[in-house]
Every structure is written in structure tokens, then in C-alpha cells.
Amino acid sequence: AKSALLQMKKIDDYLEQILYYTRSENASKDYCINKISLNKCVNNVLLRNKDYLLESDIVLSVSDIDYKVYSDSKWLEFILNQIINNSIKYRRENVDSFIKIYCLSSNDSVTLVLEDNGVGISEFDLPRVFDKTFTGSNGRNNVKSTGMGLFIVKNLCAKLGHKIIIDSVSGEYTKVFITISKNEFYDVLK
């Protein structure tokens, strides 16, 4: 029953990707930026992935994420869900897998960091991870990769005024940094 639930979750995730891809490509402003709880957003995503995390034997640590930021909670949850799913999907065999989630705060913004010790991204692939349908060597080794997740994530971040950067070393780690404004009229991209 558990594997059936996981299959259903994967189908849900693919459908959601299609939905958000359509939204990100569409000129209409289908989002609403409000002051939201980062803590609540992260917890919603972790709750949604709890079975997947447990089955994948991933140790999760969350700290210092109690911030209010300006974003769209649904869009931000979609973004975080994509990143968490990648961390689970691209974990390394024969290591104690972890995902660490924490924040780096400045005066006017918060950078949410999602760090894992998975397979990492090669130096060659790293500049292209946000390209549409780019799967790279990891994706080619993983038949379930569409190469759309990070492309959509980058688009949504741009629309929300969030900055996203990925740092990774192949065979060691991946760190995703999402910088989000604490103030209503501050554009992080400036």
C-alpha cells in the first residue's frame, strides 16, 4: 500500500509540474505576494513528503527558519517541493543521507538553504541545470527525470522576485540558496 501511495504522489507531482509550467509560461499574474511564514511553508512541504523521506531513509534537520517573508505560499511550496524531491531522488547509495534546511538572514532578506549530501551535480552540468528539459548525466541515469523541475522553479522565482543559486560538487553535496525579501517593496534581484 505504501508503494502505491508513493506512486500516487509521483503522479500528483507530475500533474502539479504541468500546472505550474503552464502558469510560469503564461503572462497572467497567477500569484499573490503576501507576508507569509517560511516555517509553515517548509513544514507543509515536509509533511507532504514524509512517507517518501522515511522510505528513503533520509535524516532531516531543520533549524532557524522562523521568518516572515514576502512570497506566494503556494508557489513557494511548489518550488520547495521540487527541490526536496530532487534531494530524495538523487541521494547517494551507501551513505547516511541527509537534508538540512536552514536560513541565513540579512537586514532586508532571508536566504533559505536546502543542503543534501546526494550525488551532486558535475561542474560541467551545473551552469545548465535551469535550462528547459536539461537532464544532465544524473537525469540520464535516472529515467524518471523530465528536466522540467528546475526550469519551472527558476521561472517562478524570477516572477516572485526571489533569487535562486545552486552550488554543488559531484559525489559530495548540493546546496540550493533561495533569497526572499523580508520587505514588501524590496526586490531581491536588484
Side-chain angles (χ1 to χ4, degrees):
K2 194 171 251 188
S3 67
L5 280 172
L6 286 176
Q7 288 305 319
M8 286 296 290
K9 187 200 170 296
K10 282 176 185 166
I11 291 165
D12 264 3
D13 285 339
Y14 280 129
L15 287 172
E16 196 186 37
Q17 258 196 8
I18 293 162
L19 182 66
Y20 277 83
Y21 171 65
T22 309
R23 287 172 174 169
S24 72
E25 292 289 284
N26 197 325
S28 70
K29 192 178 171 198
D30 182 39
Y31 55 93
C32 185
I33 294 181
N34 290 305
K35 195 171 196 176
I36 60 164
S37 161
L38 199 50
N39 199 6
K40 192 175 169 189
C41 265
V42 169
N43 284 326
N44 285 347
V45 174
L46 295 179
L47 199 60
R48 179 176 167 179
N49 287 286
K50 101 175 166 300
D51 290 335
Y52 197 15
L53 286 158
L54 281 168
E55 194 167 281
S56 305
D57 215 18
I58 289 173
V59 175
L60 188 67
S61 76
V62 181
S63 57
D64 305 321
I65 60 165
D66 200 13
Y67 291 96
K68 296 277 190 280
V69 293
Y70 278 88
S71 188
D72 177 291
S73 56
K74 277 204 179 96
W75 281 33
L76 188 57
E77 283 179 26
F78 172 85
I79 288 164
L80 300 179
N81 190 57
Q82 293 296 309
I83 293 161
I84 298 276
N85 271 295
N86 280 353
S87 289
I88 300 170
K89 197 170 17 174
Y90 297 114
R91 65 193 178 281
R92 261 186 296 161
E93 300 298 320
N94 310 317
V95 296
D96 294 330
S97 295
F98 68 72
I99 296 174
K100 291 178 183 171
I101 302 172
Y102 54 94
C103 281
L104 307 168
S105 178
S106 73
N107 284 343
D108 38 29
S109 66
V110 173
T111 299
L112 180 66
V113 186
L114 297 97
E115 177 184 346
D116 67 51
N117 62 340
V119 297
I121 304 160
S122 76
E123 204 178 340
F124 179 71
D125 285 346
L126 197 55
R128 299 185 293 161
V129 291
F130 294 117
D131 293 355
K132 192 176 187 174
T133 70
F134 178 75
T135 54
S137 51
N138 291 340
R140 284 191 290 277
N141 297 336
N142 186 316
V143 289
K144 295 180 192 76
S145 178
T146 61
M148 289 301 288
L150 289 177
F151 169 74
I152 301 167
V153 159
K154 178 80 170 179
N155 266 10
L156 297 182
C157 281
K159 284 196 159 75
L160 292 169
H162 305 342
K163 184 178 176 186
I164 183 164
I165 294 170
I166 297 182
D167 173 33
S168 187
V169 171
S170 186
E172 289 184 33
Y173 69 85
T174 299
K175 291 181 189 177
V176 179
F177 301 87
I178 303 169
T179 304
I180 308 168
S181 177
K182 287 185 195 170
N183 311 320
E184 198 167 359
F185 302 113
Y186 176 74
D187 184 350
V188 174
L189 297 174
K190 281 177 188 162

